[in-house]
Amino acid sequence: MTEIKREKWYIRWYNYNKYQIPVIFTVIGTLIFTLFLDFRTGGVDFKSHISAINVLTNRVVGFYLFAIYMIALVQLANSMSFAKKRSPIGLFMFTILNAVQILLVYLYVNVFHTEVLIRTDNFVIPSFGYFSMNVMMTGAIFYFIATIFAWFYVDWKYIKIED
């Protein structure tokens, strides 16, 4: 009697979905970036990014937050396009935008720490400020992981075929 050996579920999943892994990490990173907006409803008053930047004197941080959100949305579409084609040009665009995103997150976090150093009124970063910084750094980590996987799965022999 012959026994049929089946692959383990995670090996089958990986072999079938390996080109989607950058998309998965980008979707998770985008959700992390965009889900934690401030809101007030009923008895719930959730403070995060907007409340955190409103206590700062540096107003360029608002641009950083806006740019982080916009790049997150562009990267969502860009990662899906990359997973479909896996072209080197798509990889470079994906990598450049993720590098810009990580730089913006660094600048965003740096503004908070700079405010502590330069303000004379004994400014302390509030708890929602730390939460906002942690959310941004977590999203950036997921984008970094997505970039690494994209470099593994690029098709260096990609040739564009006209439809």
Side-chain angles (χ1 to χ4, degrees):
M1 188 164 168
T2 61
E3 193 173 314
I4 299 174
K5 286 193 169 195
R6 291 186 52 170
E7 290 180 323
K8 298 201 183 312
W9 70 269
Y10 51 87
I11 294 172
R12 274 196 334 266
W13 181 90
Y14 174 78
N15 288 332
Y16 184 74
N17 291 312
K18 64 183 172 186
Y19 302 123
Q20 297 296 324
I21 291 174
V23 176
I24 293 167
F25 280 107
T26 303
V27 166
I28 293 169
T30 301
L31 288 174
I32 289 171
F33 279 132
T34 57
L35 279 181
F36 295 104
L37 283 175
D38 298 33
F39 65 88
R40 190 175 323 146
T41 178
V44 178
D45 186 19
F46 182 74
K47 293 182 178 182
S48 180
H49 307 310
I50 305 299
S51 297
I53 67 173
N54 280 337
V55 298
L56 302 174
T57 58
N58 186 337
R59 293 298 172 211
V60 74
V61 73
F63 169 75
Y64 295 153
L65 183 64
F66 173 75
I68 288 168
Y69 279 170
M70 289 300 106
I71 291 174
L73 296 176
V74 168
Q75 282 299 78
L76 192 59
N78 197 16
S79 68
M80 290 178 196
S81 172
F82 173 77
K84 183 177 179 185
K85 298 178 184 176
R86 297 184 350 246
S87 74
I89 294 172
L91 172 70
F92 292 131
M93 184 63 147
F94 187 70
T95 302
I96 290 168
L97 283 175
N98 278 348
V100 169
Q101 183 79 322
I102 291 168
L103 174 68
L104 286 169
V105 168
Y106 168 76
L107 293 172
Y108 180 83
V109 171
N110 192 41
V111 167
F112 285 91
H113 294 297
T114 304
E115 285 275 328
V116 171
L117 295 174
I118 64 171
R119 283 183 52 178
T120 58
D121 61 349
N122 293 328
F123 173 73
V124 177
I125 300 172
S127 60
F128 51 85
Y130 281 113
F131 178 76
S132 176
M133 290 187 297
N134 289 334
V135 164
M136 291 299 177
M137 289 185 287
T138 305
I141 289 168
F142 275 99
Y143 271 39
F144 180 73
I145 294 169
T147 305
I148 291 171
F149 276 107
W151 276 89
F152 283 129
Y153 301 127
V154 66
D155 180 9
W156 292 107
K157 297 176 183 169
Y158 173 80
I159 298 172
K160 184 176 181 177
I161 299 172
E162 296 294 328
D163 292 330

